[in-house]
Amino acid sequence: VQNNGSSFTYDDEMIALANSLTHKTKNDIKQSHDIFRWIRKNIKYREDKRSKHISYRGALQVFLDREGVCGEQAALQVTLDRLAGNISYLAEVGDDHACALHLSPSGRSILIDTTSPKGFDIHYKDIKILSDDHSLARYRE
């Protein structure tokens, strides 16, 4: 997690949110699911702002605006998951869709699509985990 200039931007309010959503359980999968539910309830998907010519905004901007496209919401999921102490990455699925991927210490991988009501532990055929360096290439302030 990085506090500025990346896909994984955050502030003190996001740290407090991650703690409040996850402090009641040590189970990393439940923590990630609680973050997913918060994003589904509080962050709107905005198709009209989606453009192949505009890079993704960072997680902090999505959090503040309370809206974002798939990759932006995925960055927020990854950031909050990491702030909770979990292992999470951005992932591309299909031709032009992004999700979060939670990697549990138990060895379980959970794909999280915050744009879908049933997106927690969703299954897609083609999944490409993105390195943080690659995901940053799509971000600009």
Side-chain angles (χ1 to χ4, degrees):
V1 181
Q2 301 163 3
N3 61 3
N4 59 43
S6 79
S7 299
F8 313 109
T9 52
Y10 67 94
D11 66 3
D12 290 341
E13 190 176 349
M14 289 175 65
I15 294 169
L17 174 64
N19 289 334
S20 73
L21 292 172
T22 63
H23 77 279
K24 292 183 180 179
T25 182
K26 298 284 186 206
N27 182 301
D28 64 291
I29 295 171
K30 179 160 179 12
Q31 289 176 343
S32 191
H33 189 259
D34 290 345
I35 292 166
F36 165 79
R37 285 194 335 232
W38 185 91
I39 291 173
R40 287 287 311 151
K41 182 178 178 182
N42 294 283
I43 306 296
K44 295 178 187 173
Y45 184 82
R46 293 300 304 242
E47 180 68 36
D48 60 328
K49 291 193 176 183
R50 185 184 166 123
S51 169
K52 292 184 180 192
H53 305 292
I54 298 174
S55 299
Y56 290 142
R57 296 170 303 144
L60 177 59
Q61 195 62 50
V62 175
F63 174 74
L64 295 173
D65 292 346
R66 295 293 201 260
E67 65 183 28
V69 296
C70 62
E72 295 169 338
Q73 288 189 24
L76 180 59
Q77 174 76 35
V78 168
T79 301
L80 292 173
D81 216 14
R82 289 178 178 183
L83 287 171
N86 297 316
I87 301 168
S88 190
Y89 293 95
L90 289 177
E92 286 182 352
V93 294
D95 290 332
D96 191 27
H97 191 59
C99 295
L101 182 70
H102 175 95
L103 300 176
S104 179
S106 68
R108 187 169 172 206
S109 298
I110 298 169
L111 196 60
I112 304 165
D113 184 346
T114 57
T115 66
S116 172
K118 296 184 181 195
F120 193 83
D121 202 12
I122 197 166
H123 300 279
Y124 289 106
K125 287 183 181 182
D126 299 320
I127 302 166
K128 178 181 174 186
I129 299 173
L130 301 178
S131 72
D132 286 359
D133 288 340
H134 179 79
S135 65
L136 298 180
R138 301 185 76 171
Y139 171 78
R140 70 173 179 187
E141 292 190 62

